[in-house]
Amino acid sequence: MPLPAALLLLADSRLPAGGHAHSGGLEPAAAAGAVTDVPSLASFLRGRLRTTGLVTAALAAAARAHADGGGAGWATLDAEADARTPSPAARRASRAQGRSLLRAVRATLRHPALDALAAFPAPHHPLVLGAATAAAGGTGADAAAIGAYGAVTGPASAAVRLLGLDPLAVHGALADLAPQVDAVAAEAAGFADAEFAALPSTSAPALDIFAELHLRSDLRLFES
């Protein structure tokens, strides 16, 4: 069955939700010399996918399921997202992206879950993604797939702009990662109906350190 266009829009980098302003930790990783070329970028993306990517996808799947249940636990799920984001700078980036995504999707989609999240000053990005997926008629698996996909495409795009990498070679690296993106999305979707406390909490200490260093940097192109 083809994906509805409304779901494709959520995965489109051209969605005016401010995603272009965030590198997902790629900029500080490049500044530290950890990412310099396509092979090191591919390694960075694999690590991000298996850690923060899995957490993001699982939170999005849980949010999608929660949107159908009356939405009484948004504050709890938001706190669980906080607990899985050790870096204050990364939490700030997630909330900034959540606020931007919520503004963008509410311009075109209607759903009580989006209205409930609008009561938060800045809900975490995966929660808004899950609620938006519900509003677009998608499933928990769809929310997880979009979350996992975004975990690698955003930094990959940033790498092209920051390092001047060959876009075709970067796209090839993303294509090589596609089976792993699908595997992470499938794993994350399995948590859609789990207790919030049971959601995965895989961490990436290097990304947390990079996020803090980036926030303190005097010269930077991306917000995170």
Side-chain angles (χ1 to χ4, degrees):
M1 176 182 296
L3 279 177
L7 287 176
L8 294 176
L9 287 174
L10 292 177
D12 193 330
S13 63
R14 291 165 294 185
L15 177 69
H20 66 281
H22 298 268
S23 75
L26 189 283
E27 184 172 16
V35 178
T36 58
D37 52 18
V38 173
S40 57
L41 171 65
S43 179
F44 174 88
L45 296 178
R46 278 195 299 273
R48 192 171 196 278
L49 176 64
R50 286 301 315 172
T51 53
T52 59
L54 175 61
V55 171
T56 295
L59 283 166
R64 166 62 189 89
H66 185 64
D68 281 345
W74 286 121
T76 302
L77 188 55
D78 194 72
E80 293 289 350
D82 244 3
R84 287 162 175 76
T85 314
S87 159
R91 289 200 294 269
R92 174 179 160 176
S94 175
R95 291 189 180 283
Q97 291 180 83
R99 182 173 55 240
S100 296
L101 178 59
L102 184 59
R103 183 172 59 246
V105 297
R106 290 190 85 203
T108 54
L109 298 172
R110 302 288 182 271
H111 195 281
L114 295 176
D115 296 338
L117 288 173
F120 288 68
H124 274 290
H125 180 264
L127 275 64
V128 180
L129 177 57
T133 302
T139 65
D142 294 331
I146 296 169
Y149 178 73
V152 295
T153 54
S157 175
V160 172
R161 284 180 277 171
L162 274 170
L163 299 171
L165 300 179
D166 178 2
L168 295 179
V170 170
H171 198 70
L174 285 174
D176 290 342
L177 274 175
Q180 296 172 56
V181 172
D182 288 342
V184 166
E187 180 179 352
F191 291 95
D193 297 318
E195 295 290 333
F196 292 162
L199 291 169
S201 55
T202 48
S203 63
L207 282 177
D208 294 331
I209 293 170
F210 284 149
E212 294 302 313
L213 292 175
H214 187 66
L215 187 63
R216 292 162 175 75
S217 174
D218 292 330
L219 182 63
R220 60 178 187 265
L221 181 62
F222 293 92
E223 288 294 319
S224 68

